Amino acid sequence: LWFGCGKGLCQLMGGRLRTWGPADGLPEDGWMNLLHTRDGGIWARSGHALAHFDPKLSRFLAIPAPAYTLWAGEIALVEDAQGRILTSTDRGIARWDGHAWRQWTSEDGLPDTAVRALFFDATGALWVGCSGRGLYRWVGYGQTEHWTRNSGLPSPVVWSLARDGTGRVLAATS
């Protein structure tokens, strides 16, 4: 059992309590959100920071956290089928691929509001709860990719697509 305690994390195992903190790679903070991953890792999120407990190293690694200025108790953390971590941001969703964050916002089709809840159902579909905007289902998560101005298209109006001899996809836009 893991839980936030003071400015660190506590682990209760076999009737013994262990406190984790700076000596274990865990920055001091008010850790409010925890996620236990399939590989035995623990992800901890506060309003300011993110840390990952790597069971192979038996220590925490600090991860740069995407911005979240609202109440930290409403930050979501989930793991997708590929083992990537998704978390809420002030205006969307961020996904950690092990090296960097990829973010989706209203420019990618999400409502222009904070994401408060994330959940993968049994079919692998991602459900997104948005502050004051309801519940959304991300159709095609992990199966389709969408491109907009935010990802480099000069216009969202696409007239035709072709593949060149090297396999690149070419898009003719307005």
Side-chain angles (χ1 to χ4, degrees):
L1 175 67
W2 290 81
F3 53 96
C5 56
K7 298 249 181 214
L9 287 174
C10 287
Q11 179 188 24
L12 182 61
M13 187 167 65
R16 297 178 59 182
L17 183 68
R18 175 168 180 190
T19 302
W20 297 80
D24 307 298
L26 182 70
E28 287 188 343
D29 210 329
W31 302 102
M32 300 185 75
N33 308 84
L34 300 173
L35 171 68
H36 183 249
T37 56
R38 290 185 298 274
D39 67 358
I42 298 290
W43 286 77
R45 178 98 196 253
S46 72
H48 313 93
L50 188 81
H52 172 236
F53 175 76
D54 186 330
K56 295 177 202 126
L57 301 175
S58 289
R59 66 177 291 105
F60 281 89
L61 305 170
I63 306 290
Y68 199 88
T69 58
L70 304 173
W71 185 61
E74 297 174 341
I75 297 173
L77 279 172
V78 295
E79 179 182 22
D80 72 9
Q82 292 76 34
R84 298 171 298 196
I85 302 303
L86 286 80
T87 189
S88 15
T89 70
D90 285 346
R91 296 286 173 223
I93 301 169
R95 182 178 67 200
W96 181 252
D97 67 5
H99 305 287
W101 290 103
R102 175 166 182 195
Q103 296 197 37
W104 291 272
T105 65
S106 61
E107 294 179 18
D108 301 298
L110 290 172
D112 189 22
T113 187
V115 169
R116 304 285 174 114
L118 296 169
F119 175 78
F120 282 99
D121 67 19
T123 68
L126 177 61
W127 293 83
V128 181
C130 296
S131 181
R133 300 293 173 99
L135 182 63
Y136 294 80
R137 182 172 176 239
W138 186 332
V139 177
Y141 176 83
Q143 299 169 15
T144 60
E145 185 78 21
H146 304 276
W147 294 280
T148 64
R149 280 194 174 122
N150 193 39
S151 54
L153 273 181
S155 167
V157 179
V158 177
W159 294 101
S160 66
L161 296 169
R163 192 173 296 276
D164 71 9
T166 66
R168 292 182 304 173
V169 174
L170 306 172
T173 70
S174 291

